[in-house]
Amino acid sequence: MKLHLLRYFAVLAEELHFGHAAERLAITQPPLSSGIKALEDELGVRLFERSSKHVALTAAGQAYLAEVRVVLEHVARAGETARCVAAGLRGRLDIGFAGSMVYRDMPGIVRAFGQRAPGIEVNLREMSSGEQLEALRHRQLHAGFINTGAVPEPLCSLPLAPDHFVCCLPEDHALAGTASVDLRALAAETFVMFSRAVAPANHDNVIALFQRAGIHPRILHATRQWLTVLTLVALRMGVALVPACMAQAAVTGVRLLPIAKLRHPCVGVLAWHQDAVTPALRGFLDVAAAHRP
């Protein structure tokens, strides 16, 4: 059944006049008459009682009209949905994030995008940086907030607002009351470290700080989340170097102090696959770019 015949029927049912209906449809009367006849032949029922002076719906026509209006409404809504999705105003985005990103740019970007495009559902998925890179390569995520400074092809990235590493000590540590900490004073301490398998860039950046300070730390613990690092330090399981943004986690029992004479960035990017940019993702990336200081 052709959709235009349903439109012919609906308009004629409203006008009950072939001339008026043809005018609304911007066609002549012959194709309207033949279209209605073809529709009735296909259905095997009469939809209209008609004479030279009178057009009226049959009982079957009245019942059919109610159903046709539903069909035409669905068709119109489907077209509107397609246009909204094509314009990036409706749809869904699956966005990955490393745990520490809740203390960086991610919440502000997601909120700003929600205000700009309320018709787009943003589904956040906490994953390690390595897991996100793999998911992005296989197009299982639209984008991801990742602890890294560079991404492999065919991925693209946008740097996040800068952060840096600070020293995390138990609150009763002998150096916890100082203004800053010289890493060399911690050479004999046990360090809690972020697992390299989870986020190689963060692990390597911390190791680089140790090398610049000229120390070879004793590392006994490896975690998957920065919040776990802070918790282990609070439990006096060691000391650590963590992103400054983790101060927002407000973990009790620890002190976060600047590292004396050393400042090293804690890298982070928003990454996506270069061949998988949808209109909705383009809008998200625009918001992220505008959000950077």
Side-chain angles (χ1 to χ4, degrees), residues 7-37:
R7 293 195 177 97
Y8 286 6
F9 166 74
V11 172
L12 182 58
E14 292 172 3
E15 295 292 339
L16 295 177
H17 189 286
F18 276 87
H20 296 166
E23 186 176 348
R24 272 184 58 183
L25 292 164
I27 61 176
T28 60
Q29 289 190 44
L32 174 58
S33 297
S34 61
I36 296 299
K37 184 179 184 306

Side-chain angles (χ1 to χ4, degrees), residues 183-184 203-217 241 262 264:
L183 287 186
R184 291 173 295 182
H203 182 278
D204 293 348
N205 282 333
V206 171
I207 295 298
L209 278 170
F210 291 142
Q211 292 175 340
R212 289 169 62 190
I215 65 173
H216 300 280
L241 302 184
L262 290 176
H264 198 78

Side-chain angles (χ1 to χ4, degrees), residues 168-191:
C168 179
L169 303 175
E171 62 181 358
D172 58 357
H173 192 280
L175 298 177
T178 60
S180 62
V181 177
D182 189 325
L183 287 186
R184 291 173 295 182
L186 302 175
E189 297 276 358
T190 296
F191 277 83

